[in-house]
Amino acid sequence: MSQRTPLTRFLIEAERAGQMTPELRLLIEVVARACKSISNAISKGALGGVLGDAGTGNVQGEAQKKLDVLSNEILLEANAWGGHLAGIASEEMEEPHPIPDAYPKGNFLLLFDPLDGSSNIDVNVSVGTIFSVLRCPDGVTEPATEHFLQPGTAQVAAGYTIYGPSTVLVLTVGHGTHAFTLDRELGTFILTQRDIRVPEDTQEYAINASNQRHWDAHVQRYIGDLLAGKTGPRGKDFNTRWIASMVADVHRIMTRGGTFMYPADAKCREKGGRLRLMYEANPMAFLVEQAGGAATTGTQRMMEVTPTGLHMRVPVILGSKNEVAQFERYARED
Ligand code: AHG
Ligand code: MN
Ligand code: MN
């Protein structure tokens, strides 16, 4: 029988190889367990009574879905008592969430988008959870917003779980990017791809084209040249894929390459962009870079952006390295 590597074994071996501490291993196990609960809730769909609006709004001014709220609660509860965290921040909460006094505190800060792509939940399209792990600064026991505001390069781990036809956890602790598929009978994540490599070149891209009239000139030119295809300046045909779940779009890139773009445009420039740096762009940038891809704002490496707020938004261009570099060339011309 071919040997399967459960997530636990993978993490223990990574710990033995000096790639993580037992505390980080526990943190990842706990997040993975929470993702299993979220996966269960999502897969019940209408039968579980989990679809539809929660009737509340979040700090982003967005209407929350029932599953946004539930996923946030599952992640908070799972991470409260393990003793591995000093604090938690979430897309769904304005301020950092303290670890209850009843429990010991650890050295890590956990940030997450509990459910990404939630506009897709009710139509049964893939959604996901994104998370990022930072170190709590020395001597800080009650972390405040300022302690979370560290650049992406400071991340010690990042990952996402995609709830699709299968549930897949994609993880990095800074030694490559690896994928684990949930065996639903066993309730165990099993290593299904070690050292994912994102192809450097691609002919596939993802962007919300309905924003075209709001795009900057360089985005107009860049996408125009892709659309011109074989007889245009790029000399090849390109294909569009847009799921509107960042997790699902990034997972496609992890699987077969491509680019994902949410540039700043006239519609969202005031806010800085559409996607959030701390729990969407940075963890995805870490995962994509560890798989040999690139992630940028168009003018700066994503992981070097200095965060100015927990919910700060940024332009995002990530994926196949050479195509991301092409976008940056166009951005420099403006
Ligand atoms: P969230 O559901 O966590 O708010 O994130 C949604 C994000 C991302 O998943 C997706 O790429 C993007 O928003 C889609 O935005 P629009 O469809 O509004 O353009
Ligand atoms: Mn999101
Ligand atoms: Mn979300």
Side-chain angles (χ1 to χ4, degrees), residues 50 57 135 137 164 181 196 201 230 239 254 267 283 312 319-320 331:
V50 292
R135 275 194 191 83
T181 304
I196 294 173
D201 293 295
K230 227 185 174 104
N239 190 26
M254 289 292 182
K267 199 170 89 180
M312 175 185 179
S320 292

Side-chain angles (χ1 to χ4, degrees), residues 11 56 75 80 120 188 192 198 207 209 219 301:
L11 295 175
T56 49
L75 280 158
N120 282 320
T188 307
T192 41
V198 172
I207 194 164
V219 182
R301 182 182 170 214

Side-chain angles (χ1 to χ4, degrees), residues 73-133:
E73 281 168 2
I74 289 172
L75 280 158
L76 289 182
E77 196 280 328
N79 282 286
W81 42 268
H84 51 288
L85 290 182
I88 300 175
S90 162
E91 176 187 281
E92 304 301 337
M93 301 181 301
E94 185 160 8
E95 303 290 341
H97 180 85
I99 300 300
D101 285 338
Y103 305 119
K105 292 201 177 65
N107 297 324
F108 292 110
L109 301 175
L110 176 66
L111 302 92
F112 46 75
D113 175 353
L115 204 60
D116 172 72
S118 48
S119 70
N120 282 320
I121 294 169
D122 296 346
V123 289
N124 205 11
V125 167
S126 298
V127 290
T129 296
I130 312 172
F131 65 94
S132 166
V133 182

